[in-house]
Amino acid sequence: MSVPARADEVKAGDLIISQAWSRATPGGAKVAGGFLTIENKGTAPDKLIAVSAEIAGKAEVHEMAMDNGVMKMRPLDKGLVIEPGKTVKLAPGGTHLMLQDLKGPFKQGEKVPVTLEFEKAGKVSVSLDVQGVGAQAPGGGSQMMKKMPDHSGMKM
């Protein structure tokens, strides 16, 4: 039995980026989510201001928020602040990277390179470890396929 490799940690200035992952996408899918953890070890805040990926025509940081009982997703136009001493988790159902206009499917076991751009730490390359379609966390996809809400019915 093989143990899934832990996603690599990437250090950028005072930031540590870890557990970068995504889910496999069905053929023809045009969107994928990216998830990761950003820890700020410094004394000043930093801000994730942009994201890009070769495989995606467009990449943004999105947040999920309830609005009158309806879950809505919207881009964080002003960026995502990582306060000093804090850890920010980008995860399913919450803030996440949104990769759109995909040029090809994400296949389980692959690594998808993305570039994060921070106000202070600058540009950082990370690889998203592609997990199974229903994975809830990096390296720990459950064997049962959960019916996951996708982005197809969401109002943008």
Side-chain angles (χ1 to χ4, degrees), residues 1-81:
M1 188 169 127
S2 68
V3 177
R6 286 202 31 93
D8 304 325
E9 274 192 1
V10 178
K11 289 182 172 47
D14 292 327
L15 303 178
I16 297 172
I17 300 150
S18 62
Q19 297 182 334
W21 66 285
S22 186
R23 290 187 182 121
T25 58
K30 288 293 174 203
V31 296
F35 314 106
L36 46 88
T37 300
I38 307 167
E39 186 178 358
N40 187 344
K41 295 280 201 185
T43 54
D46 203 341
K47 188 188 284 189
L48 176 58
I49 52 174
V51 58
S52 59
E54 293 274 319
I55 197 166
K58 183 175 173 188
E60 298 173 324
V61 181
H62 279 195
E63 72 172 352
M64 308 281 280
M66 290 300 282
D67 182 16
N68 292 326
V70 177
M71 183 62 84
K72 294 205 171 158
M73 185 174 60
R74 63 173 186 233
L76 287 175
D77 299 328
K78 295 179 172 54
L80 176 65
V81 175

Side-chain angles (χ1 to χ4, degrees), residues 143-156:
Q143 302 305 39
M144 286 177 48
M145 288 296 292
K146 292 187 182 73
K147 188 84 179 100
M148 291 304 301
D150 63 15
H151 287 80
S152 60
M154 293 199 134
K155 303 270 185 285
M156 297 288 237

Side-chain angles (χ1 to χ4, degrees), residues 60-154:
E60 298 173 324
V61 181
H62 279 195
E63 72 172 352
M64 308 281 280
M66 290 300 282
D67 182 16
N68 292 326
V70 177
M71 183 62 84
K72 294 205 171 158
M73 185 174 60
R74 63 173 186 233
L76 287 175
D77 299 328
K78 295 179 172 54
L80 176 65
V81 175
I82 298 92
E83 297 292 347
K86 295 272 196 269
T87 298
V88 175
K89 253 182 146 44
L90 279 62
T95 304
H96 59 279
L97 304 179
M98 190 72 216
L99 306 176
Q100 301 170 46
D101 304 328
L102 296 183
K103 298 177 177 135
F106 287 15
K107 293 187 175 72
Q108 190 166 352
E110 288 183 341
K111 287 186 177 296
V112 176
V114 294
T115 302
L116 306 174
E117 189 177 342
F118 293 92
E119 210 167 57
K120 294 191 175 72
K123 289 192 175 179
V124 186
S125 295
V126 297
S127 290
L128 302 176
D129 290 331
V130 181
Q131 309 290 327
V133 173
Q136 292 294 306
S142 70
Q143 302 305 39
M144 286 177 48
M145 288 296 292
K146 292 187 182 73
K147 188 84 179 100
M148 291 304 301
D150 63 15
H151 287 80
S152 60
M154 293 199 134

